[in-house]
Amino acid sequence: MNDIEWWRNSVVYQVYPKSFNDSNDDGIGDISGITEKLDYLQKFGIDIIWLNPIYKSPQVDNGYDISNYREIDPSFGTMADFQKLLDETHKRHMRLILDLVVNHTSDEHPWFKAAKSSKDDPHHNYYIWKDGDGKKLPNNWGSSFGGSTWEYIDKLGQYYLHLFAKQQPDLNWDNPKVRQEVYDIMRFWLEKGVDGFRMDVISLFSKDPAYPDGPVIQNKAYGSYYKGAANGPKIHDYLQEMNSQVLSHYDIVTVGETPHTSVDEAVKYTDANRHELNMVFHFDHMHLDYDENGKFSTKRFKLSELKEVFTKWQNGMAEHNGWNSLYWSNHDQARPVTRFGADDTKWREQSAKMLGTILHMQQGTPFIFQGEELGMTNAKFNSIDDYSDIETKNIYNDFMNNKKLGLKYTMKSIYLKSRDNARTPMPWSDGVNAGFTKGTPWIKLNPNYQEINVKNTLADSNSTFYYYQKLIKLRHELPIITNGKYVILDKNNEQTYSYLRENDKQILFVTGNFTDKEQTVELPKQVRNKDGKLVISNFEKEFKTTDKVVLPAYGSSVYLYK
Ligand code: TEU
Ligand code: CA
């Protein structure tokens, strides 16, 4: 296995620092708190830790609004705490990557303060400005967090662009000075020994200079910016420049978050011959349950569509020398057992393990979001006051006051889709505040933490944790999981997801039941009546596979054929 890049058979664990572990009892997770839990991560077997932003930030968007890229936000600790975490991670033969958020800064960043002071300030064109009268918007683009993407500065007679909150002004990537500033920031962290970056909304850096109006979709009040800002004219030039000036000088991994990006577009970012990024996060499976209200819908995904998405990306990347990231969730998404499995007590852990099987046996680098290994569910908070996320708050106001969708639908869509579902504190025990803090947690715990927590999961040899631990181990031990060709077997049904992984020596047969009823899966001709070795299954019964497999509710299994 050592003839491939290390990130191709690695598993990444995403830590949301604010909610992982609080070491100084102020109710906020912090860097020293992560260091305290490195042995847990090492025991789990993961290879790479991804930290969400820990830089100085007013926290309007939980750290995705950065006011100083070279300082640790005091709420997370000090630079010495960070260096200790990095050193302790390396001592345990794990790697650590940071979150690079350079599509925008905080409006409290010194660059923006200078930029908005005068049109003649040298930093003015670090950002994107359009002359205007304060009445007629430069175009119809709507911010991801509601409202227009344009904010008017009276004194300048200009609008500035913000694809996200108005406190997150977009940087002007067409300005070479901005790009050099970013490359210097990257070198600052890489020289400390950081092992790479997850790059925030990397597909949005290069905007269409015409700033054309976008289509009005999902009955939003404004047009979408996707056509004018996603995968823009210069994005690949900029990434190839970034690669040649910075990335190629270090043994690191890069994963770009690429909203609004098709597989055809994504292969341009990840084809190794293009020297841009190693892999990207796409959103196609995250959009399967969108409806006319966009993300905050009560619609359920369709398994046939999920299989189509995964198959498109497995094939697309393989055909173009690209590489997939594999994920069910992150800090922006709902918990997988609620969204794709079954989060009732009866099937929760079984479906969590099934989802793990289906994702971790695919080709690519799997990302596990903190708590996924416990089979954590969405947190059903009763009141909007219990939610903290800017996106959730804005949706609540839009649905209640503009669209008048009523409290029941609004709260149900928030229960299902709020980003806070992923941001409730990591439950370490069934004790006070689940052992996350001795202070008052910055956000409420998931009410089911007495049942779902690390202490209970480690005490149960059949828990999701130990199942995921085996999946991670399989990826390290079976090259076919890294290099086998993916072949979908049951594209159209809504009950099971079965696929093969093939190389010149072996065949892996992977199958999972997405329903609460027993399902029979015919074995494909490639393995029928062959002797297969069961390598993992989330149901105990071991049986001979001849021509079919009977899967119990949410059952999943993997067989290896020579
Ligand atoms: O997310 C980008 C992004 O596309 C998300 O805003 C996504 O569309 C939304 O969360 C779906 O509900 C990145 C970060 O992951 C996110 O946390 C930040 O809020 C955002 O960029 C702005 O930096
Ligand atoms: Ca703390």
PDB file of all heavy atoms in Angstrom, residues 453-483:
ATOM      1  N   ASN A 453     -23.708   8.225  24.105  1.00  0.00           N
ATOM      2  CA  ASN A 453     -22.483   8.923  24.532  1.00  0.00           C
ATOM      3  C   ASN A 453     -21.296   7.979  24.419  1.00  0.00           C
ATOM      4  O   ASN A 453     -21.455   6.749  24.294  1.00  0.00           O
ATOM      5  CB  ASN A 453     -22.641   9.456  25.962  1.00  0.00           C
ATOM      6  CG  ASN A 453     -22.912   8.343  26.968  1.00  0.00           C
ATOM      7  OD1 ASN A 453     -22.054   7.483  27.201  1.00  0.00           O
ATOM      8  ND2 ASN A 453     -24.121   8.325  27.531  1.00  0.00           N
ATOM      9  N   VAL A 454     -20.107   8.530  24.495  1.00  0.00           N
ATOM     10  CA  VAL A 454     -18.880   7.746  24.274  1.00  0.00           C
ATOM     11  C   VAL A 454     -18.727   6.646  25.324  1.00  0.00           C
ATOM     12  O   VAL A 454     -18.377   5.508  25.007  1.00  0.00           O
ATOM     13  CB  VAL A 454     -17.652   8.671  24.268  1.00  0.00           C
ATOM     14  CG1 VAL A 454     -16.350   7.890  24.314  1.00  0.00           C
ATOM     15  CG2 VAL A 454     -17.679   9.593  23.051  1.00  0.00           C
ATOM     16  N   LYS A 455     -19.018   6.982  26.561  1.00  0.00           N
ATOM     17  CA  LYS A 455     -18.852   5.982  27.651  1.00  0.00           C
ATOM     18  C   LYS A 455     -19.690   4.737  27.343  1.00  0.00           C
ATOM     19  O   LYS A 455     -19.175   3.606  27.345  1.00  0.00           O
ATOM     20  CB  LYS A 455     -19.280   6.613  28.985  1.00  0.00           C
ATOM     21  CG  LYS A 455     -19.198   5.695  30.176  1.00  0.00           C
ATOM     22  CD  LYS A 455     -19.430   6.477  31.483  1.00  0.00           C
ATOM     23  CE  LYS A 455     -19.950   5.598  32.596  1.00  0.00           C
ATOM     24  NZ  LYS A 455     -21.429   5.652  32.708  1.00  0.00           N
ATOM     25  N   ASN A 456     -20.941   4.934  27.015  1.00  0.00           N
ATOM     26  CA  ASN A 456     -21.813   3.781  26.716  1.00  0.00           C
ATOM     27  C   ASN A 456     -21.346   3.036  25.464  1.00  0.00           C
ATOM     28  O   ASN A 456     -21.333   1.811  25.430  1.00  0.00           O
ATOM     29  CB  ASN A 456     -23.273   4.228  26.518  1.00  0.00           C
ATOM     30  CG  ASN A 456     -23.904   4.737  27.814  1.00  0.00           C
ATOM     31  OD1 ASN A 456     -23.291   4.615  28.885  1.00  0.00           O
ATOM     32  ND2 ASN A 456     -25.078   5.321  27.728  1.00  0.00           N
ATOM     33  N   THR A 457     -20.906   3.801  24.464  1.00  0.00           N
ATOM     34  CA  THR A 457     -20.527   3.163  23.197  1.00  0.00           C
ATOM     35  C   THR A 457     -19.271   2.316  23.373  1.00  0.00           C
ATOM     36  O   THR A 457     -19.139   1.230  22.826  1.00  0.00           O
ATOM     37  CB  THR A 457     -20.376   4.213  22.073  1.00  0.00           C
ATOM     38  OG1 THR A 457     -20.771   3.630  20.835  1.00  0.00           O
ATOM     39  CG2 THR A 457     -18.985   4.739  21.943  1.00  0.00           C
ATOM     40  N   LEU A 458     -18.330   2.797  24.224  1.00  0.00           N
ATOM     41  CA  LEU A 458     -17.088   2.026  24.427  1.00  0.00           C
ATOM     42  C   LEU A 458     -17.350   0.800  25.281  1.00  0.00           C
ATOM     43  O   LEU A 458     -16.617  -0.183  25.224  1.00  0.00           O
ATOM     44  CB  LEU A 458     -16.004   2.905  25.067  1.00  0.00           C
ATOM     45  CG  LEU A 458     -15.459   4.031  24.182  1.00  0.00           C
ATOM     46  CD1 LEU A 458     -14.421   4.858  24.944  1.00  0.00           C
ATOM     47  CD2 LEU A 458     -14.839   3.479  22.894  1.00  0.00           C
ATOM     48  N   ALA A 459     -18.417   0.837  26.064  1.00  0.00           N
ATOM     49  CA  ALA A 459     -18.743  -0.300  26.957  1.00  0.00           C
ATOM     50  C   ALA A 459     -19.533  -1.376  26.211  1.00  0.00           C
ATOM     51  O   ALA A 459     -19.735  -2.476  26.725  1.00  0.00           O
ATOM     52  CB  ALA A 459     -19.555   0.198  28.145  1.00  0.00           C
ATOM     53  N   ASP A 460     -19.940  -1.063  24.951  1.00  0.00           N
ATOM     54  CA  ASP A 460     -20.793  -2.015  24.206  1.00  0.00           C
ATOM     55  C   ASP A 460     -20.042  -2.549  22.989  1.00  0.00           C
ATOM     56  O   ASP A 460     -19.827  -1.841  22.013  1.00  0.00           O
ATOM     57  CB  ASP A 460     -22.069  -1.274  23.769  1.00  0.00           C
ATOM     58  CG  ASP A 460     -22.892  -2.105  22.778  1.00  0.00           C
ATOM     59  OD1 ASP A 460     -22.537  -3.292  22.569  1.00  0.00           O
ATOM     60  OD2 ASP A 460     -23.861  -1.559  22.215  1.00  0.00           O
ATOM     61  N   SER A 461     -19.604  -3.803  23.063  1.00  0.00           N
ATOM     62  CA  SER A 461     -18.758  -4.347  21.970  1.00  0.00           C
ATOM     63  C   SER A 461     -19.503  -4.370  20.641  1.00  0.00           C
ATOM     64  O   SER A 461     -18.879  -4.492  19.588  1.00  0.00           O
ATOM     65  CB  SER A 461     -18.295  -5.761  22.326  1.00  0.00           C
ATOM     66  OG  SER A 461     -19.451  -6.572  22.519  1.00  0.00           O
ATOM     67  N   ASN A 462     -20.823  -4.224  20.663  1.00  0.00           N
ATOM     68  CA  ASN A 462     -21.591  -4.197  19.402  1.00  0.00           C
ATOM     69  C   ASN A 462     -21.929  -2.783  18.954  1.00  0.00           C
ATOM     70  O   ASN A 462     -22.777  -2.584  18.092  1.00  0.00           O
ATOM     71  CB  ASN A 462     -22.915  -4.972  19.589  1.00  0.00           C
ATOM     72  CG  ASN A 462     -22.672  -6.459  19.415  1.00  0.00           C
ATOM     73  OD1 ASN A 462     -21.834  -6.850  18.613  1.00  0.00           O
ATOM     74  ND2 ASN A 462     -23.351  -7.264  20.203  1.00  0.00           N
ATOM     75  N   SER A 463     -21.269  -1.806  19.552  1.00  0.00           N
ATOM     76  CA  SER A 463     -21.676  -0.420  19.249  1.00  0.00           C
ATOM     77  C   SER A 463     -21.193   0.012  17.875  1.00  0.00           C
ATOM     78  O   SER A 463     -20.301  -0.581  17.266  1.00  0.00           O
ATOM     79  CB  SER A 463     -21.087   0.531  20.298  1.00  0.00           C
ATOM     80  OG  SER A 463     -19.672   0.559  20.158  1.00  0.00           O
ATOM     81  N   THR A 464     -21.748   1.125  17.417  1.00  0.00           N
ATOM     82  CA  THR A 464     -21.373   1.711  16.126  1.00  0.00           C
ATOM     83  C   THR A 464     -19.890   2.057  16.106  1.00  0.00           C
ATOM     84  O   THR A 464     -19.209   1.875  15.102  1.00  0.00           O
ATOM     85  CB  THR A 464     -22.228   2.979  15.873  1.00  0.00           C
ATOM     86  OG1 THR A 464     -23.606   2.647  16.051  1.00  0.00           O
ATOM     87  CG2 THR A 464     -22.010   3.538  14.481  1.00  0.00           C
ATOM     88  N   PHE A 465     -19.365   2.481  17.243  1.00  0.00           N
ATOM     89  CA  PHE A 465     -17.938   2.859  17.326  1.00  0.00           C
ATOM     90  C   PHE A 465     -17.057   1.692  16.881  1.00  0.00           C
ATOM     91  O   PHE A 465     -16.198   1.822  16.015  1.00  0.00           O
ATOM     92  CB  PHE A 465     -17.592   3.242  18.764  1.00  0.00           C
ATOM     93  CG  PHE A 465     -16.125   3.512  18.999  1.00  0.00           C
ATOM     94  CD1 PHE A 465     -15.605   4.790  18.847  1.00  0.00           C
ATOM     95  CD2 PHE A 465     -15.256   2.481  19.343  1.00  0.00           C
ATOM     96  CE1 PHE A 465     -14.248   5.044  19.052  1.00  0.00           C
ATOM     97  CE2 PHE A 465     -13.889   2.722  19.531  1.00  0.00           C
ATOM     98  CZ  PHE A 465     -13.390   4.006  19.389  1.00  0.00           C
ATOM     99  N   TYR A 466     -17.284   0.534  17.462  1.00  0.00           N
ATOM    100  CA  TYR A 466     -16.416  -0.614  17.140  1.00  0.00           C
ATOM    101  C   TYR A 466     -16.653  -1.089  15.705  1.00  0.00           C
ATOM    102  O   TYR A 466     -15.751  -1.607  15.049  1.00  0.00           O
ATOM    103  CB  TYR A 466     -16.639  -1.745  18.154  1.00  0.00           C
ATOM    104  CG  TYR A 466     -16.149  -1.391  19.531  1.00  0.00           C
ATOM    105  CD1 TYR A 466     -17.043  -1.255  20.600  1.00  0.00           C
ATOM    106  CD2 TYR A 466     -14.803  -1.114  19.765  1.00  0.00           C
ATOM    107  CE1 TYR A 466     -16.592  -0.900  21.877  1.00  0.00           C
ATOM    108  CE2 TYR A 466     -14.349  -0.753  21.034  1.00  0.00           C
ATOM    109  CZ  TYR A 466     -15.246  -0.642  22.068  1.00  0.00           C
ATOM    110  OH  TYR A 466     -14.814  -0.275  23.322  1.00  0.00           O
ATOM    111  N   TYR A 467     -17.872  -0.863  15.212  1.00  0.00           N
ATOM    112  CA  TYR A 467     -18.142  -1.241  13.814  1.00  0.00           C
ATOM    113  C   TYR A 467     -17.359  -0.320  12.872  1.00  0.00           C
ATOM    114  O   TYR A 467     -16.661  -0.768  11.964  1.00  0.00           O
ATOM    115  CB  TYR A 467     -19.643  -1.160  13.540  1.00  0.00           C
ATOM    116  CG  TYR A 467     -20.038  -1.766  12.213  1.00  0.00           C
ATOM    117  CD1 TYR A 467     -20.276  -3.139  12.091  1.00  0.00           C
ATOM    118  CD2 TYR A 467     -20.132  -0.985  11.066  1.00  0.00           C
ATOM    119  CE1 TYR A 467     -20.608  -3.707  10.866  1.00  0.00           C
ATOM    120  CE2 TYR A 467     -20.468  -1.541   9.846  1.00  0.00           C
ATOM    121  CZ  TYR A 467     -20.705  -2.896   9.754  1.00  0.00           C
ATOM    122  OH  TYR A 467     -21.033  -3.457   8.538  1.00  0.00           O
ATOM    123  N   TYR A 468     -17.442   0.973  13.144  1.00  0.00           N
ATOM    124  CA  TYR A 468     -16.664   1.938  12.340  1.00  0.00           C
ATOM    125  C   TYR A 468     -15.155   1.652  12.480  1.00  0.00           C
ATOM    126  O   TYR A 468     -14.393   1.766  11.528  1.00  0.00           O
ATOM    127  CB  TYR A 468     -16.972   3.361  12.808  1.00  0.00           C
ATOM    128  CG  TYR A 468     -18.041   4.088  12.005  1.00  0.00           C
ATOM    129  CD1 TYR A 468     -19.365   3.658  12.001  1.00  0.00           C
ATOM    130  CD2 TYR A 468     -17.730   5.215  11.241  1.00  0.00           C
ATOM    131  CE1 TYR A 468     -20.336   4.330  11.253  1.00  0.00           C
ATOM    132  CE2 TYR A 468     -18.697   5.898  10.502  1.00  0.00           C
ATOM    133  CZ  TYR A 468     -19.997   5.448  10.512  1.00  0.00           C
ATOM    134  OH  TYR A 468     -20.957   6.114   9.772  1.00  0.00           O
ATOM    135  N   GLN A 469     -14.746   1.273  13.681  1.00  0.00           N
ATOM    136  CA  GLN A 469     -13.320   0.971  13.907  1.00  0.00           C
ATOM    137  C   GLN A 469     -12.872  -0.164  12.965  1.00  0.00           C
ATOM    138  O   GLN A 469     -11.800  -0.100  12.373  1.00  0.00           O
ATOM    139  CB  GLN A 469     -13.139   0.537  15.368  1.00  0.00           C
ATOM    140  CG  GLN A 469     -11.724   0.518  15.878  1.00  0.00           C
ATOM    141  CD  GLN A 469     -11.682  -0.015  17.312  1.00  0.00           C
ATOM    142  OE1 GLN A 469     -12.353  -1.005  17.651  1.00  0.00           O
ATOM    143  NE2 GLN A 469     -10.867   0.611  18.146  1.00  0.00           N
ATOM    144  N   LYS A 470     -13.743  -1.175  12.760  1.00  0.00           N
ATOM    145  CA  LYS A 470     -13.446  -2.282  11.851  1.00  0.00           C
ATOM    146  C   LYS A 470     -13.431  -1.790  10.398  1.00  0.00           C
ATOM    147  O   LYS A 470     -12.575  -2.185   9.613  1.00  0.00           O
ATOM    148  CB  LYS A 470     -14.493  -3.394  12.003  1.00  0.00           C
ATOM    149  CG  LYS A 470     -14.344  -4.230  13.268  1.00  0.00           C
ATOM    150  CD  LYS A 470     -15.414  -5.325  13.322  1.00  0.00           C
ATOM    151  CE  LYS A 470     -15.692  -5.791  14.755  1.00  0.00           C
ATOM    152  NZ  LYS A 470     -17.134  -6.007  14.980  1.00  0.00           N
ATOM    153  N   LEU A 471     -14.359  -0.893  10.071  1.00  0.00           N
ATOM    154  CA  LEU A 471     -14.394  -0.367   8.691  1.00  0.00           C
ATOM    155  C   LEU A 471     -13.088   0.361   8.383  1.00  0.00           C
ATOM    156  O   LEU A 471     -12.501   0.201   7.314  1.00  0.00           O
ATOM    157  CB  LEU A 471     -15.571   0.589   8.516  1.00  0.00           C
ATOM    158  CG  LEU A 471     -16.980  -0.019   8.518  1.00  0.00           C
ATOM    159  CD1 LEU A 471     -18.038   1.088   8.574  1.00  0.00           C
ATOM    160  CD2 LEU A 471     -17.192  -0.913   7.301  1.00  0.00           C
ATOM    161  N   ILE A 472     -12.610   1.133   9.354  1.00  0.00           N
ATOM    162  CA  ILE A 472     -11.351   1.879   9.169  1.00  0.00           C
ATOM    163  C   ILE A 472     -10.198   0.906   8.981  1.00  0.00           C
ATOM    164  O   ILE A 472      -9.356   1.049   8.099  1.00  0.00           O
ATOM    165  CB  ILE A 472     -11.098   2.798  10.385  1.00  0.00           C
ATOM    166  CG1 ILE A 472     -12.188   3.877  10.486  1.00  0.00           C
ATOM    167  CG2 ILE A 472      -9.711   3.445  10.309  1.00  0.00           C
ATOM    168  CD1 ILE A 472     -12.214   4.620  11.817  1.00  0.00           C
ATOM    169  N   LYS A 473     -10.207  -0.130   9.816  1.00  0.00           N
ATOM    170  CA  LYS A 473      -9.142  -1.155   9.753  1.00  0.00           C
ATOM    171  C   LYS A 473      -9.164  -1.875   8.392  1.00  0.00           C
ATOM    172  O   LYS A 473      -8.115  -2.097   7.782  1.00  0.00           O
ATOM    173  CB  LYS A 473      -9.376  -2.156  10.902  1.00  0.00           C
ATOM    174  CG  LYS A 473      -8.204  -3.038  11.256  1.00  0.00           C
ATOM    175  CD  LYS A 473      -8.363  -3.576  12.730  1.00  0.00           C
ATOM    176  CE  LYS A 473      -7.318  -4.631  13.012  1.00  0.00           C
ATOM    177  NZ  LYS A 473      -7.603  -5.898  12.246  1.00  0.00           N
ATOM    178  N   LEU A 474     -10.377  -2.162   7.906  1.00  0.00           N
ATOM    179  CA  LEU A 474     -10.493  -2.836   6.594  1.00  0.00           C
ATOM    180  C   LEU A 474      -9.857  -1.973   5.503  1.00  0.00           C
ATOM    181  O   LEU A 474      -9.147  -2.484   4.629  1.00  0.00           O
ATOM    182  CB  LEU A 474     -11.962  -3.092   6.255  1.00  0.00           C
ATOM    183  CG  LEU A 474     -12.635  -4.291   6.932  1.00  0.00           C
ATOM    184  CD1 LEU A 474     -14.123  -4.327   6.586  1.00  0.00           C
ATOM    185  CD2 LEU A 474     -11.961  -5.599   6.512  1.00  0.00           C
ATOM    186  N   ARG A 475     -10.079  -0.678   5.560  1.00  0.00           N
ATOM    187  CA  ARG A 475      -9.513   0.205   4.525  1.00  0.00           C
ATOM    188  C   ARG A 475      -7.988   0.173   4.570  1.00  0.00           C
ATOM    189  O   ARG A 475      -7.307   0.247   3.559  1.00  0.00           O
ATOM    190  CB  ARG A 475     -10.028   1.641   4.706  1.00  0.00           C
ATOM    191  CG  ARG A 475      -9.469   2.633   3.684  1.00  0.00           C
ATOM    192  CD  ARG A 475     -10.196   3.958   3.713  1.00  0.00           C
ATOM    193  NE  ARG A 475     -11.572   3.816   3.263  1.00  0.00           N
ATOM    194  CZ  ARG A 475     -11.954   3.875   1.976  1.00  0.00           C
ATOM    195  NH1 ARG A 475     -11.054   4.093   1.046  1.00  0.00           N
ATOM    196  NH2 ARG A 475     -13.208   3.723   1.637  1.00  0.00           N
ATOM    197  N   HIS A 476      -7.450   0.041   5.774  1.00  0.00           N
ATOM    198  CA  HIS A 476      -5.984  -0.013   5.906  1.00  0.00           C
ATOM    199  C   HIS A 476      -5.437  -1.357   5.447  1.00  0.00           C
ATOM    200  O   HIS A 476      -4.284  -1.457   5.033  1.00  0.00           O
ATOM    201  CB  HIS A 476      -5.586   0.229   7.365  1.00  0.00           C
ATOM    202  CG  HIS A 476      -5.871   1.623   7.827  1.00  0.00           C
ATOM    203  ND1 HIS A 476      -6.095   1.945   9.161  1.00  0.00           N
ATOM    204  CD2 HIS A 476      -6.021   2.790   7.154  1.00  0.00           C
ATOM    205  CE1 HIS A 476      -6.324   3.241   9.268  1.00  0.00           C
ATOM    206  NE2 HIS A 476      -6.280   3.782   8.069  1.00  0.00           N
ATOM    207  N   GLU A 477      -6.260  -2.412   5.520  1.00  0.00           N
ATOM    208  CA  GLU A 477      -5.744  -3.761   5.259  1.00  0.00           C
ATOM    209  C   GLU A 477      -6.058  -4.304   3.862  1.00  0.00           C
ATOM    210  O   GLU A 477      -5.328  -5.149   3.352  1.00  0.00           O
ATOM    211  CB  GLU A 477      -6.313  -4.741   6.297  1.00  0.00           C
ATOM    212  CG  GLU A 477      -5.764  -4.499   7.691  1.00  0.00           C
ATOM    213  CD  GLU A 477      -6.519  -5.324   8.742  1.00  0.00           C
ATOM    214  OE1 GLU A 477      -7.556  -5.943   8.405  1.00  0.00           O
ATOM    215  OE2 GLU A 477      -6.056  -5.322   9.904  1.00  0.00           O
ATOM    216  N   LEU A 478      -7.162  -3.829   3.261  1.00  0.00           N
ATOM    217  CA  LEU A 478      -7.571  -4.395   1.962  1.00  0.00           C
ATOM    218  C   LEU A 478      -7.352  -3.389   0.841  1.00  0.00           C
ATOM    219  O   LEU A 478      -8.156  -2.481   0.647  1.00  0.00           O
ATOM    220  CB  LEU A 478      -9.057  -4.801   2.015  1.00  0.00           C
ATOM    221  CG  LEU A 478      -9.447  -5.947   2.945  1.00  0.00           C
ATOM    222  CD1 LEU A 478     -10.962  -6.195   2.871  1.00  0.00           C
ATOM    223  CD2 LEU A 478      -8.689  -7.225   2.603  1.00  0.00           C
ATOM    224  N   PRO A 479      -6.300  -3.539   0.053  1.00  0.00           N
ATOM    225  CA  PRO A 479      -6.046  -2.599  -1.054  1.00  0.00           C
ATOM    226  C   PRO A 479      -7.227  -2.450  -2.003  1.00  0.00           C
ATOM    227  O   PRO A 479      -7.442  -1.384  -2.578  1.00  0.00           O
ATOM    228  CB  PRO A 479      -4.850  -3.227  -1.763  1.00  0.00           C
ATOM    229  CG  PRO A 479      -4.166  -4.054  -0.726  1.00  0.00           C
ATOM    230  CD  PRO A 479      -5.254  -4.575   0.158  1.00  0.00           C
ATOM    231  N   ILE A 480      -8.060  -3.490  -2.122  1.00  0.00           N
ATOM    232  CA  ILE A 480      -9.179  -3.422  -3.069  1.00  0.00           C
ATOM    233  C   ILE A 480     -10.138  -2.286  -2.718  1.00  0.00           C
ATOM    234  O   ILE A 480     -10.775  -1.705  -3.607  1.00  0.00           O
ATOM    235  CB  ILE A 480      -9.926  -4.782  -3.143  1.00  0.00           C
ATOM    236  CG1 ILE A 480     -10.893  -4.791  -4.338  1.00  0.00           C
ATOM    237  CG2 ILE A 480     -10.647  -5.116  -1.832  1.00  0.00           C
ATOM    238  CD1 ILE A 480     -11.471  -6.145  -4.679  1.00  0.00           C
ATOM    239  N   ILE A 481     -10.184  -1.922  -1.438  1.00  0.00           N
ATOM    240  CA  ILE A 481     -11.082  -0.818  -1.039  1.00  0.00           C
ATOM    241  C   ILE A 481     -10.561   0.507  -1.584  1.00  0.00           C
ATOM    242  O   ILE A 481     -11.311   1.432  -1.889  1.00  0.00           O
ATOM    243  CB  ILE A 481     -11.233  -0.782   0.497  1.00  0.00           C
ATOM    244  CG1 ILE A 481     -11.908  -2.054   0.998  1.00  0.00           C
ATOM    245  CG2 ILE A 481     -12.043   0.442   0.953  1.00  0.00           C
ATOM    246  CD1 ILE A 481     -11.966  -2.181   2.508  1.00  0.00           C
ATOM    247  N   THR A 482      -9.253   0.586  -1.734  1.00  0.00           N
ATOM    248  CA  THR A 482      -8.650   1.805  -2.272  1.00  0.00           C
ATOM    249  C   THR A 482      -8.591   1.785  -3.791  1.00  0.00           C
ATOM    250  O   THR A 482      -8.865   2.783  -4.458  1.00  0.00           O
ATOM    251  CB  THR A 482      -7.232   1.964  -1.692  1.00  0.00           C
ATOM    252  OG1 THR A 482      -7.330   2.017  -0.261  1.00  0.00           O
ATOM    253  CG2 THR A 482      -6.542   3.232  -2.186  1.00  0.00           C
ATOM    254  N   ASN A 483      -8.263   0.595  -4.375  1.00  0.00           N
ATOM    255  CA  ASN A 483      -8.024   0.603  -5.826  1.00  0.00           C
ATOM    256  C   ASN A 483      -9.032  -0.175  -6.653  1.00  0.00           C
ATOM    257  O   ASN A 483      -8.940  -0.205  -7.877  1.00  0.00           O
ATOM    258  CB  ASN A 483      -6.604   0.093  -6.124  1.00  0.00           C
ATOM    259  CG  ASN A 483      -6.412  -1.371  -5.662  1.00  0.00           C
ATOM    260  OD1 ASN A 483      -7.345  -2.173  -5.756  1.00  0.00           O
ATOM    261  ND2 ASN A 483      -5.236  -1.672  -5.146  1.00  0.00           N
TER     262      ASN A 483
END
